Amino acid sequence: MNRSRSSWDKKAPQPPGTRITRSSSSQARHTDPAETYDSGPGTYGKQRKKQTDSALAQDLSQMSVSGQDGLPASTGKLSKGSSEPAQAGQSSGSRSDQCSPTTFAAKPKSRGGLASVARLVKLGRCKNVVVVAGAGISTASGIPDFRTPGTGLYANLEKYNIPYPEAIFNIDYFSNDPQPFFSLAKALYPGSHRPNYIHFFIRMLHHKGLLLRMYTQNIDGLEKVCGIPDDKLVEAHGSFATASCHLCYTPYPAAEAKHAIMNDNVPTCSFCAATVKPDVVFFGEDLPQKYFLHTKDFPKADLLIIMGTSLQIEPFASLVNTVRSTVPRLLLNRHAVGPFEKVPLRRGDHMELGDLEDTVRRFAEMLGWNDEIEELMRSQETLNIPALISSPPSVSGQTPCQSRGASEPPGRMETSKSRPGAQRGASSGSEETDSETDSKSSVSSSLSN
Ligand code: CNA
C-alpha cells in the first residue's frame, strides 16, 4: 500500500526542534586521519581572518534585504519538465572568477558565489557539509543522466518499448514486465565506469574532515568506488550492491542476480517465485532506512552543496529545504533547479551554472585542493574497478518483508508534481550565529555579482 505524499510530509523533520548553534556544530565536527594534511582553515592566520571578516562586513552592507526570507512558506510548484534554464541569479562562472586563495581575499569585489562559499570553507565556517547529488555528477564518467535533452536516458528510451519514461522505474510496470529495466540495468551495473573529478572532490571534503554526509540519488556506485566510506554515504535510491524479491523482499545473491540479468535471464525468488531485482528504489517503493539519517544531518549542516540533480524526485528533492534557513546552499548544475528557480534567491543561496566538472575544478582551485585531488585520482588510476556486488544475501542486512520501512516512516520515491512547503518552521529561530552572518554576506556577494 502506497502512502500518500502528505503522509511523508507529516514525517518530515522539523528543523527548529533540532536547531544547533554554530558552537555546538563545531563540537560535532567529524575528524579524519587524513586531516593531518589539512591545508584548510589552519593555514590562515588571525590577520587574514580579520581582513576577510571585514570583507564580509562590506558584503553585508551591500546586501539587498529584499532577499531576506524571500521565499514564501510554501514554495512554488515544480512540475515535471518545468525546470527550464533560469538566468536570474546566475553567477558568471567566468574564468575571471578564478581566484587563488590569496587573490580572492584581496579582491573581494571580483568574487562570485562560488568564491564566497570557498571563502567560508577556508575560514573554517563550514565543518558539517552535506552534499546532495544526482545523475549529473556521473555524466563525466560516461553515464547518461535522466533528463538532459538529447543525451539523457529519457530521451533515448525508444529501444525499451515503454509507454512513458518513468515506466522503466515503476514497480508495477516492472512487476508486469521486467525486461525494460533489465535492459537498462545491463548498462548501469557498476564495474565499467570510473569515478571522475567530482566524486574525488567529495572524497576530499571527507579527507578534510568536513563531510557530514553525502546523499546521492545515484545507483552507479561510483561514490564507493572513489573511496567515500559507507558511513559518510546515503544511497537514497538504493544500489546494485544487493538484490531481493520485488514482492516478498527475500534477499537474493546480488552476484547471481547480476549474472542472470547480464545473460538476459530473469532471476526469480526462491521463496515466492516472483521476479528478483537489484535493490534500486523504484517509484512507489520505500527508500532505505539509512535515508532517515537526514532528520539528524540536515538540521546540523552548516553548508549544503547540491550538485547535478534536477530535484524532480520526491521525497529526496525536498531535503534541500530542511537545512536551517540561514545555512548557505550552493547549487552546482547546468541550470537552476528547485528553490533556485525562485527570484530573488534566498539569503545564503548561490548557484554556479555550467559544466559541473569544470565548476568543481574551479571550486577546488579556490580551496587549494586541486593538486591533492589530482594526486588522489592518479593513485587510484591503476586500481581495478570493484564491481560492488555482494554475493551472500545476508550482506544486505535486510530480512524479508521487514526491510522496507515496516516500522519506520517510509519515504516513497515519487516524481515531483508539487513541492511541499519549504522551510517548514525553519526560519522561526531567533538566534543568530557567526555562520549566519557569513551566510548573509555571501548572499550579498551573490546578488551583487
Ligand atoms: P536528472 O533528472 O537527469 O537531472 C540531472 C541534472 O544534472 C540535470 O539538471 C542536468 O542539467 C544536470 N547535469 C547533467 N550533466 C551535467 C553536467 N555535466 N554539468 C552540469 N550539470 C549537469 O537526474 P537526477 O539525479 O536529478 O534524478 C534522480 C534519478 C536519476 C535517480 O533516481 C537516479 O537513480 C537516476 N539516475 C541515476 C544515474 C546514475 O546513477 N548515474 C543515471 C541516470 C539516472
Side-chain angles (χ1 to χ4, degrees):
M1 182 183 67
N2 280 1
R3 295 205 185 186
S4 65
R5 155 84 263 159
S6 60
S7 87
W8 180 81
D9 286 348
K10 277 184 217 140
K11 303 292 181 188
Q14 299 298 313
T18 47
R19 270 183 79 89
I20 55 167
T21 64
R22 180 168 177 276
S23 60
S24 66
S25 68
S26 298
Q27 282 159 12
R29 179 177 184 184
H30 289 246
T31 54
D32 185 274
E35 231 184 334
T36 47
Y37 61 82
D38 187 349
S39 63
T43 57
Y44 287 80
K46 268 190 184 160
Q47 193 170 357
R48 180 172 299 282
K49 182 177 186 304
K50 221 173 176 181
Q51 276 175 357
T52 47
D53 279 353
S54 77
L56 287 171
Q58 191 184 340
D59 287 344
L60 187 58
S61 69
Q62 291 167 352
M63 185 182 68
S64 162
V65 185
S66 66
Q68 183 171 347
D69 301 325
L71 291 179
S74 176
T75 58
K77 274 191 225 163
L78 180 65
S79 60
K80 221 172 9 136
S82 67
S83 49
E84 284 302 307
Q87 302 304 320
Q90 177 172 348
S91 53
S92 70
S94 70
R95 287 285 165 181
S96 62
D97 280 343
Q98 283 190 21
C99 309
S100 71
T102 318
T103 55
F104 77 70
K107 297 180 186 170
K109 292 228 163 111
S110 68
R111 283 172 305 149
L114 199 61
S116 294
V117 176
R119 191 165 52 120
L120 289 178
V121 174
K122 295 183 77 162
L123 285 169
R125 307 291 171 91
C126 306
K127 294 172 177 170
N128 287 298
V129 182
V130 171
V131 174
V132 160
I137 72 166
S138 292
T139 53
S141 296
I143 305 173
D145 66 0
F146 269 175
R147 293 179 178 81
T148 292
T151 57
L153 291 170
Y154 282 179
N156 293 283
L157 286 174
E158 308 81 31
K159 55 186 169 198
Y160 299 109
N161 194 24
I162 47 175
Y164 56 94
E166 287 84 358
I168 206 155
F169 286 103
N170 181 296
I171 193 64
D172 298 323
Y173 197 90
F174 175 88
S175 203
N176 192 46
D177 180 9
Q179 279 311 335
F181 170 72
F182 284 163
S183 304
L184 179 65
K186 285 170 78 169
L188 285 180
Y189 254 111
S192 50
H193 299 279
R194 284 196 173 275
N196 61 58
Y197 191 93
I198 304 159
H199 297 97
F200 282 99
F201 172 83
I202 301 162
R203 179 170 165 189
M204 189 54 64
L205 272 174
H206 165 60
H207 272 310
K208 300 290 183 188
L210 306 180
L211 182 67
L212 177 57
R213 205 92 60 192
M214 174 183 193
Y215 286 76
T216 184
Q217 297 167 94
N218 292 349
I219 52 178
D220 55 34
L222 292 183
E223 297 87 356
K224 279 186 182 156
V225 176
C226 92
I228 297 169
D230 209 40
D231 66 327
K232 290 287 168 185
L233 183 64
V234 173
E235 294 174 313
H237 292 170
S239 75
F240 288 94
T242 56
S244 56
C245 172
H246 86 285
L247 273 189
C248 74
Y249 308 133
T250 299
Y252 189 90
E256 282 179 33
K258 180 179 181 183
H259 187 260
I261 292 166
M262 293 311 245
N263 289 288
D264 297 322
N265 294 320
V266 175
T268 52
C269 176
S270 52
F271 184 70
C272 74
T275 306
V276 163
K277 75 169 182 59
D279 289 332
V280 166
V281 181
F282 278 31
F283 295 114
E285 286 196 304
D286 295 341
L287 272 60
Q289 289 294 305
K290 208 174 171 188
Y291 168 77
F292 295 96
L293 282 172
H294 77 81
T295 58
K296 290 195 175 122
D297 289 347
F298 279 68
K300 198 194 279 186
D302 51 21
L303 172 63
L304 179 65
I305 303 177
I306 303 155
M307 29 168 66
T309 173
S310 60
L311 292 180
Q312 295 266 324
I313 309 284
E314 295 292 359
F316 190 93
S318 291
L319 287 180
V320 303
N321 294 319
T322 62
V323 290
R324 288 169 294 142
S325 62
T326 49
V327 166
R329 300 188 297 187
L330 175 64
L331 172 70
L332 308 178
N333 207 41
R334 196 163 270 141
H335 55 87
V337 294
F340 293 82
E341 291 181 293
K342 290 266 172 192
V343 177
L345 289 178
R346 190 176 91 170
R347 290 190 308 161
D349 277 358
H350 301 277
M351 51 183 173
E352 195 76 16
L353 306 181
D355 180 74
L356 190 53
E357 193 175 11
D358 181 54
T359 305
V360 170
R361 206 174 275 276
R362 281 190 291 119
F363 195 29
E365 280 165 4
M366 291 172 187
L367 292 165
W369 296 356
N370 185 46
D371 289 350
E372 278 175 280
I373 294 173
E374 294 203 328
E375 179 54 38
L376 189 57
M377 290 179 78
R378 269 195 299 277
S379 72
Q380 296 239 332
E381 243 162 38
T382 49
L383 298 181
N384 285 334
I385 313 171
L388 298 173
I389 303 292
S390 50
S391 304
S394 59
V395 169
S396 71
Q398 298 175 337
T399 51
C401 304
Q402 175 201 46
S403 59
R404 307 207 177 193
S407 55
E408 281 289 304
R412 284 181 191 264
M413 194 162 102
E414 296 174 5
T415 300
S416 173
K417 295 274 193 284
S418 61
R419 197 152 291 280
Q423 307 304 320
R424 276 180 292 274
S427 58
S428 61
S430 58
E431 299 158 67
E432 184 159 308
T433 65
D434 289 351
S435 75
E436 288 165 348
T437 309
D438 290 349
S439 151
K440 286 178 198 166
S441 304
S442 60
V443 170
S444 164
S445 173
S446 174
L447 292 174
S448 60
N449 275 293

CSV table of all heavy atoms in Angstrom, one decimal, residues 205-244:
chain,number,residue,atom,x,y,z
A,205,LEU,N,36.5,16.4,0.5
A,205,LEU,CA,35.7,17.0,1.6
A,205,LEU,C,35.8,16.1,2.8
A,205,LEU,O,36.0,16.6,3.9
A,205,LEU,CB,34.3,17.2,1.2
A,205,LEU,CG,33.8,18.5,0.4
A,205,LEU,CD1,32.3,18.3,0.0
A,205,LEU,CD2,34.0,19.7,1.3
A,206,HIS,N,35.7,14.8,2.6
A,206,HIS,CA,35.8,13.9,3.7
A,206,HIS,C,37.2,13.9,4.2
A,206,HIS,O,37.4,13.9,5.5
A,206,HIS,CB,35.3,12.5,3.2
A,206,HIS,CG,35.7,11.4,4.1
A,206,HIS,ND1,35.3,11.3,5.4
A,206,HIS,CD2,36.6,10.3,4.0
A,206,HIS,CE1,35.9,10.3,6.0
A,206,HIS,NE2,36.6,9.7,5.2
A,207,HIS,N,38.2,13.8,3.4
A,207,HIS,CA,39.6,13.8,3.8
A,207,HIS,C,39.8,15.0,4.7
A,207,HIS,O,40.6,15.0,5.7
A,207,HIS,CB,40.5,13.9,2.7
A,207,HIS,CG,40.9,12.6,2.1
A,207,HIS,ND1,41.3,11.5,2.9
A,207,HIS,CD2,40.8,12.1,0.8
A,207,HIS,CE1,41.6,10.5,2.1
A,207,HIS,NE2,41.3,10.8,0.9
A,208,LYS,N,39.2,16.1,4.4
A,208,LYS,CA,39.5,17.4,5.2
A,208,LYS,C,38.6,17.4,6.5
A,208,LYS,O,38.7,18.3,7.2
A,208,LYS,CB,39.1,18.6,4.3
A,208,LYS,CG,39.9,18.7,3.0
A,208,LYS,CD,41.3,19.1,3.3
A,208,LYS,CE,42.1,19.3,2.0
A,208,LYS,NZ,43.5,19.4,2.3
A,209,GLY,N,37.9,16.3,6.7
A,209,GLY,CA,37.1,16.3,7.9
A,209,GLY,C,35.8,17.1,7.8
A,209,GLY,O,35.3,17.5,8.9
A,210,LEU,N,35.4,17.5,6.6
A,210,LEU,CA,34.3,18.5,6.5
A,210,LEU,C,33.0,17.8,6.1
A,210,LEU,O,31.9,18.5,6.2
A,210,LEU,CB,34.7,19.6,5.5
A,210,LEU,CG,36.0,20.3,5.7
A,210,LEU,CD1,36.2,21.4,4.7
A,210,LEU,CD2,36.0,21.0,7.1
A,211,LEU,N,33.1,16.6,5.6
A,211,LEU,CA,31.8,16.0,5.1
A,211,LEU,C,31.0,15.3,6.2
A,211,LEU,O,31.4,14.4,6.8
A,211,LEU,CB,32.2,14.9,4.0
A,211,LEU,CG,31.0,14.2,3.3
A,211,LEU,CD1,30.3,15.2,2.4
A,211,LEU,CD2,31.5,13.1,2.5
A,212,LEU,N,29.9,15.9,6.4
A,212,LEU,CA,29.0,15.3,7.4
A,212,LEU,C,28.3,14.1,6.8
A,212,LEU,O,28.3,13.0,7.3
A,212,LEU,CB,27.9,16.3,7.8
A,212,LEU,CG,26.8,15.8,8.8
A,212,LEU,CD1,27.4,15.2,10.1
A,212,LEU,CD2,25.8,16.9,9.1
A,213,ARG,N,27.8,14.3,5.5
A,213,ARG,CA,27.2,13.1,4.8
A,213,ARG,C,27.0,13.5,3.4
A,213,ARG,O,26.7,14.7,3.1
A,213,ARG,CB,25.9,12.7,5.4
A,213,ARG,CG,25.5,11.2,5.2
A,213,ARG,CD,25.9,10.3,6.3
A,213,ARG,NE,25.3,10.7,7.6
A,213,ARG,CZ,25.7,10.3,8.7
A,213,ARG,NH1,26.7,9.4,8.8
A,213,ARG,NH2,25.1,10.7,9.8
A,214,MET,N,27.1,12.5,2.5
A,214,MET,CA,26.7,12.7,1.1
A,214,MET,C,25.4,11.9,0.9
A,214,MET,O,25.3,10.7,1.2
A,214,MET,CB,27.8,12.2,0.2
A,214,MET,CG,27.3,12.2,-1.3
A,214,MET,SD,28.5,11.6,-2.4
A,214,MET,CE,27.8,12.2,-4.0
A,215,TYR,N,24.4,12.6,0.3
A,215,TYR,CA,23.2,12.0,0.0
A,215,TYR,C,23.1,11.9,-1.6
A,215,TYR,O,23.1,13.0,-2.2
A,215,TYR,CB,22.0,12.8,0.5
A,215,TYR,CG,21.8,12.6,2.0
A,215,TYR,CD1,22.6,13.3,2.9
A,215,TYR,CD2,20.8,11.8,2.5
A,215,TYR,CE1,22.5,13.1,4.2
A,215,TYR,CE2,20.6,11.6,3.9
A,215,TYR,CZ,21.5,12.3,4.7
A,215,TYR,OH,21.3,12.1,6.1
A,216,THR,N,23.2,10.7,-2.1
A,216,THR,CA,23.2,10.6,-3.5
A,216,THR,C,21.9,9.9,-4.0
A,216,THR,O,21.4,9.0,-3.3
A,216,THR,CB,24.4,9.9,-4.1
A,216,THR,OG1,24.4,9.9,-5.5
A,216,THR,CG2,24.5,8.4,-3.6
A,217,GLN,N,21.4,10.3,-5.2
A,217,GLN,CA,20.3,9.6,-5.8
A,217,GLN,C,20.9,8.5,-6.8
A,217,GLN,O,20.1,7.8,-7.3
A,217,GLN,CB,19.4,10.5,-6.6
A,217,GLN,CG,18.8,11.6,-5.7
A,217,GLN,CD,18.2,12.7,-6.6
A,217,GLN,OE1,17.0,12.7,-6.9
A,217,GLN,NE2,19.0,13.7,-6.9
A,218,ASN,N,22.2,8.6,-7.0
A,218,ASN,CA,22.8,7.7,-8.0
A,218,ASN,C,22.8,6.2,-7.6
A,218,ASN,O,23.0,5.9,-6.4
A,218,ASN,CB,24.1,8.2,-8.4
A,218,ASN,CG,24.1,9.5,-9.1
A,218,ASN,OD1,23.0,10.0,-9.5
A,218,ASN,ND2,25.2,10.2,-9.3
A,219,ILE,N,22.8,5.4,-8.6
A,219,ILE,CA,22.8,4.0,-8.3
A,219,ILE,C,24.0,3.3,-9.0
A,219,ILE,O,24.1,2.1,-9.0
A,219,ILE,CB,21.5,3.3,-8.9
A,219,ILE,CG1,21.2,3.7,-10.3
A,219,ILE,CG2,20.3,3.8,-8.0
A,219,ILE,CD1,20.0,3.1,-11.0
A,220,ASP,N,24.9,4.2,-9.4
A,220,ASP,CA,26.1,3.7,-10.2
A,220,ASP,C,27.2,3.2,-9.2
A,220,ASP,O,28.2,2.6,-9.7
A,220,ASP,CB,26.6,4.7,-11.2
A,220,ASP,CG,26.9,6.0,-10.5
A,220,ASP,OD1,27.4,6.1,-9.4
A,220,ASP,OD2,26.7,7.1,-11.2
A,221,GLY,N,27.1,3.5,-8.0
A,221,GLY,CA,28.1,3.1,-7.0
A,221,GLY,C,29.5,3.8,-7.1
A,221,GLY,O,30.4,3.4,-6.4
A,222,LEU,N,29.5,4.8,-7.9
A,222,LEU,CA,30.9,5.5,-8.1
A,222,LEU,C,31.3,6.2,-6.8
A,222,LEU,O,32.5,6.4,-6.7
A,222,LEU,CB,30.8,6.4,-9.3
A,222,LEU,CG,30.6,5.7,-10.6
A,222,LEU,CD1,30.7,6.7,-11.8
A,222,LEU,CD2,31.7,4.7,-10.8
A,223,GLU,N,30.4,6.6,-5.9
A,223,GLU,CA,30.9,7.2,-4.7
A,223,GLU,C,31.7,6.2,-3.9
A,223,GLU,O,32.8,6.6,-3.3
A,223,GLU,CB,29.7,7.7,-3.9
A,223,GLU,CG,28.8,8.7,-4.5
A,223,GLU,CD,27.7,8.1,-5.4
A,223,GLU,OE1,27.7,6.9,-5.6
A,223,GLU,OE2,26.9,8.9,-6.0
A,224,LYS,N,31.3,5.0,-3.8
A,224,LYS,CA,32.0,4.0,-3.1
A,224,LYS,C,33.3,3.7,-3.8
A,224,LYS,O,34.4,3.5,-3.1
A,224,LYS,CB,31.2,2.7,-2.9
A,224,LYS,CG,30.2,2.9,-1.8
A,224,LYS,CD,29.5,1.5,-1.5
A,224,LYS,CE,28.4,1.7,-0.4
A,224,LYS,NZ,27.4,0.7,-0.5
A,225,VAL,N,33.2,3.5,-5.1
A,225,VAL,CA,34.5,3.2,-5.8
A,225,VAL,C,35.6,4.2,-5.6
A,225,VAL,O,36.7,3.9,-5.5
A,225,VAL,CB,34.2,3.1,-7.3
A,225,VAL,CG1,35.4,2.8,-8.1
A,225,VAL,CG2,33.2,2.0,-7.6
A,226,CYS,N,35.2,5.5,-5.5
A,226,CYS,CA,36.2,6.5,-5.3
A,226,CYS,C,36.7,6.6,-3.9
A,226,CYS,O,37.6,7.4,-3.6
A,226,CYS,CB,35.7,7.9,-5.8
A,226,CYS,SG,34.9,8.9,-4.6
A,227,GLY,N,36.0,5.9,-3.0
A,227,GLY,CA,36.6,5.8,-1.6
A,227,GLY,C,35.8,6.6,-0.6
A,227,GLY,O,36.3,6.7,0.6
A,228,ILE,N,34.6,7.1,-0.9
A,228,ILE,CA,33.8,7.7,0.2
A,228,ILE,C,33.3,6.6,1.1
A,228,ILE,O,32.6,5.7,0.6
A,228,ILE,CB,32.6,8.5,-0.5
A,228,ILE,CG1,33.2,9.7,-1.3
A,228,ILE,CG2,31.7,9.1,0.6
A,228,ILE,CD1,32.2,10.4,-2.2
A,229,PRO,N,33.6,6.6,2.3
A,229,PRO,CA,33.3,5.5,3.2
A,229,PRO,C,31.7,5.3,3.4
A,229,PRO,O,31.0,6.3,3.3
A,229,PRO,CB,34.0,5.8,4.5
A,229,PRO,CG,34.3,7.2,4.5
A,229,PRO,CD,34.3,7.7,3.1
A,230,ASP,N,31.4,4.1,3.7
A,230,ASP,CA,30.0,3.8,3.8
A,230,ASP,C,29.2,4.7,4.8
A,230,ASP,O,28.1,5.1,4.6
A,230,ASP,CB,29.9,2.3,4.2
A,230,ASP,CG,28.6,1.7,3.7
A,230,ASP,OD1,28.2,2.0,2.6
A,230,ASP,OD2,28.0,0.9,4.5
A,231,ASP,N,29.9,5.0,5.9
A,231,ASP,CA,29.2,5.7,7.0
A,231,ASP,C,29.0,7.2,6.6
A,231,ASP,O,28.4,8.0,7.3
A,231,ASP,CB,29.9,5.6,8.3
A,231,ASP,CG,31.3,6.2,8.3
A,231,ASP,OD1,31.9,6.2,7.3
A,231,ASP,OD2,31.7,6.7,9.4
A,232,LYS,N,29.7,7.6,5.5
A,232,LYS,CA,29.5,9.0,5.0
A,232,LYS,C,28.5,9.1,3.9
A,232,LYS,O,28.3,10.2,3.3
A,232,LYS,CB,30.9,9.6,4.6
A,232,LYS,CG,31.8,9.8,5.8
A,232,LYS,CD,31.4,11.1,6.6
A,232,LYS,CE,32.1,11.2,7.9
A,232,LYS,NZ,31.6,12.3,8.7
A,233,LEU,N,28.0,8.0,3.5
A,233,LEU,CA,27.2,7.9,2.3
A,233,LEU,C,25.8,7.4,2.5
A,233,LEU,O,25.6,6.4,3.1
A,233,LEU,CB,28.0,7.0,1.3
A,233,LEU,CG,27.4,6.8,-0.1
A,233,LEU,CD1,27.4,8.2,-0.9
A,233,LEU,CD2,28.2,5.8,-0.9
A,234,VAL,N,24.8,8.1,1.9
A,234,VAL,CA,23.5,7.6,1.9
A,234,VAL,C,23.1,7.4,0.4
A,234,VAL,O,23.0,8.4,-0.3
A,234,VAL,CB,22.5,8.5,2.6
A,234,VAL,CG1,21.1,8.0,2.4
A,234,VAL,CG2,22.8,8.6,4.1
A,235,GLU,N,22.9,6.2,0.0
A,235,GLU,CA,22.5,5.9,-1.4
A,235,GLU,C,20.9,5.9,-1.3
A,235,GLU,O,20.3,4.8,-1.1
A,235,GLU,CB,23.1,4.6,-1.9
A,235,GLU,CG,24.6,4.7,-2.1
A,235,GLU,CD,25.2,3.4,-2.4
A,235,GLU,OE1,24.9,2.3,-1.8
A,235,GLU,OE2,26.1,3.3,-3.4
A,236,ALA,N,20.4,7.0,-1.5
A,236,ALA,CA,18.9,7.2,-1.2
A,236,ALA,C,18.0,6.4,-2.1
A,236,ALA,O,16.9,6.0,-1.7
A,236,ALA,CB,18.6,8.7,-1.2
A,237,HIS,N,18.5,6.2,-3.3
A,237,HIS,CA,17.7,5.4,-4.2
A,237,HIS,C,18.2,4.0,-4.4
A,237,HIS,O,18.0,3.4,-5.5
A,237,HIS,CB,17.6,6.1,-5.6
A,237,HIS,CG,16.7,7.4,-5.4
A,237,HIS,ND1,16.7,8.3,-6.4
A,237,HIS,CD2,16.0,7.9,-4.4
A,237,HIS,CE1,15.9,9.3,-6.0
A,237,HIS,NE2,15.5,9.1,-4.8
A,238,GLY,N,19.0,3.5,-3.4
A,238,GLY,CA,19.4,2.1,-3.4
A,238,GLY,C,20.6,2.0,-4.3
A,238,GLY,O,21.3,2.9,-4.7
A,239,SER,N,20.9,0.7,-4.6
A,239,SER,CA,22.1,0.4,-5.4
A,239,SER,C,22.0,-1.0,-6.0
A,239,SER,O,21.0,-1.7,-5.7
A,239,SER,CB,23.4,0.5,-4.6
A,239,SER,OG,23.5,-0.6,-3.7
A,240,PHE,N,23.0,-1.4,-6.8
A,240,PHE,CA,23.0,-2.7,-7.3
A,240,PHE,C,23.8,-3.7,-6.4
A,240,PHE,O,23.9,-4.8,-6.7
A,240,PHE,CB,23.7,-2.7,-8.7
A,240,PHE,CG,22.9,-2.1,-9.8
A,240,PHE,CD1,23.0,-0.8,-10.1
A,240,PHE,CD2,22.0,-2.9,-10.5
A,240,PHE,CE1,22.3,-0.2,-11.1
A,240,PHE,CE2,21.2,-2.3,-11.5
A,240,PHE,CZ,21.4,-1.0,-11.8
A,241,ALA,N,24.2,-3.2,-5.3
A,241,ALA,CA,25.1,-4.0,-4.4
A,241,ALA,C,24.3,-5.2,-3.8
A,241,ALA,O,25.0,-6.1,-3.4
A,241,ALA,CB,25.7,-3.1,-3.3
A,242,THR,N,23.0,-5.0,-3.6
A,242,THR,CA,22.2,-6.2,-3.1
A,242,THR,C,21.0,-6.4,-4.0
A,242,THR,O,20.7,-5.5,-4.8
A,242,THR,CB,21.8,-5.9,-1.7
A,242,THR,OG1,21.0,-4.6,-1.7
A,242,THR,CG2,22.9,-5.7,-0.7
A,243,ALA,N,20.4,-7.5,-3.8
A,243,ALA,CA,19.2,-7.8,-4.7
A,243,ALA,C,18.2,-8.5,-3.8
A,243,ALA,O,18.5,-9.1,-2.8
A,243,ALA,CB,19.5,-8.6,-5.9
A,244,SER,N,16.9,-8.4,-4.2
A,244,SER,CA,15.9,-9.1,-3.4
A,244,SER,C,14.6,-9.2,-4.3
A,244,SER,O,14.5,-8.6,-5.4
A,244,SER,CB,15.5,-8.4,-2.1
A,244,SER,OG,15.2,-7.0,-2.4
